[in-house]
Amino acid sequence: MQIPGSIPDPAALTRAALEHDPSVIYFLDRHLRINWCNAAWDRFARENRGPHLTRQQTIGFPILNAFPDTLVQFYASMYESVLATGVPVSHEFECSSDTLFRRIHLFVLSNPTELGLILINSPIVEHPHGLERPAHPPPGGLDPVPMCCHCRRTRLSPDPPEWVWVPGFVREPPPRVSHMICNPCHTLNYPEFLPRRTRLP
Ligand SMILES: [Zn+2]
């Protein structure tokens, strides 16, 4: 609880700003235990992994225990390098369900307000229908494609904003790009400009 007139806690502000982001975002502490997950984590758990893996059950879980033995060293090295250097790392992996083939783009960043890591999971879209060929192109050219100037994800829909990883757009940007900033990049890089609605009561 924030005392009226006191300086807001930056860690709480960051969590509040990322809580309703559509990407699955979670934090690890220095010992690589999950110490926070946003609402999208619970949605993904309900739709894929089962309700027993909601965030309440997951807090404190050592993330490396989630991987098979052959992958533990890979992920341990990746997390440790970001903790040690502060240099973000990205990685792509398959995360299919029984009905969906799915690939995920993972960003691992150091957490500016808490000692630990921030992990952002975005779906990878190879052929974003409606972006490469808009249904009703305006006179004079195609609609500019909204891309985040920091993480280079593409915004598929504005409301709610859905940011995805489009490999083709990163290799070769579309003819017209509208440079924007996604919510996680805004929150992590410009916390002093957080919109008021994300401030805690
Ligand atoms: Zn971004």
Side-chain angles (χ1 to χ4, degrees):
M1 171 87 57
Q2 185 191 331
I3 300 164
S6 66
I7 297 171
D9 171 17
L13 287 178
T14 303
R15 291 179 179 208
L18 299 179
E19 166 68 7
H20 297 295
D21 195 277
S23 298
V24 174
I25 300 176
Y26 57 101
F27 294 178
L28 301 180
D29 66 18
R30 270 182 300 175
H31 308 290
L32 305 181
R33 290 179 302 232
I34 296 174
N35 64 354
W36 183 78
C37 309
N38 71 348
W41 173 287
D42 277 353
R43 194 167 59 245
F44 190 85
R46 276 197 306 275
E47 293 170 359
N48 296 278
R49 300 181 185 131
H52 61 290
L53 286 174
T54 56
R55 48 184 169 171
Q56 265 112 344
Q57 280 86 29
T58 314
I59 299 303
F61 181 76
I63 190 73
L64 293 179
N65 290 9
F67 299 110
D69 290 347
T70 49
L71 293 180
V72 166
Q73 193 52 50
F74 172 84
Y75 281 96
S77 303
M78 183 166 71
Y79 299 148
E80 295 296 345
S81 84
V82 181
L83 280 173
T85 66
V87 177
V89 167
S90 64
H91 174 61
E92 294 177 6
F93 60 96
E94 184 180 339
C95 179
S96 295
S97 71
D98 52 348
T99 56
L100 283 176
F101 174 78
R102 187 169 44 207
R103 286 184 66 78
I104 301 288
H105 180 269
L106 165 69
F107 269 120
V108 184
L109 313 116
S110 62
N111 189 333
T113 56
E114 303 176 54
L115 295 175
L117 300 172
I118 295 173
L119 289 82
I120 302 174
N121 291 272
S122 312
I124 294 173
V125 177
E126 291 280 2
H127 302 289
H129 300 296
L131 280 177
E132 289 170 338
R133 269 183 256 157
H136 301 289
L142 304 177
D143 279 335
V145 174
M147 292 182 79
C148 176
C149 57
H150 281 272
C151 67
R152 306 182 75 193
R153 292 186 300 168
T154 296
R155 196 185 69 189
L156 270 194
S157 68
D159 191 21
E162 183 188 5
W163 293 88
V164 299
W165 185 255
V166 185
F169 285 175
V170 177
R171 281 192 298 271
E172 186 179 346
R176 296 181 63 203
V177 173
S178 166
H179 290 292
M180 311 177 94
I181 186 159
C182 72
N183 183 40
C185 287
H186 182 267
T187 302
L188 300 174
N189 294 282
Y190 310 98
E192 63 271 33
F193 298 118
L194 281 178
R196 287 199 67 78
R197 63 187 168 78
T198 64
R199 299 218 177 254
L200 298 181

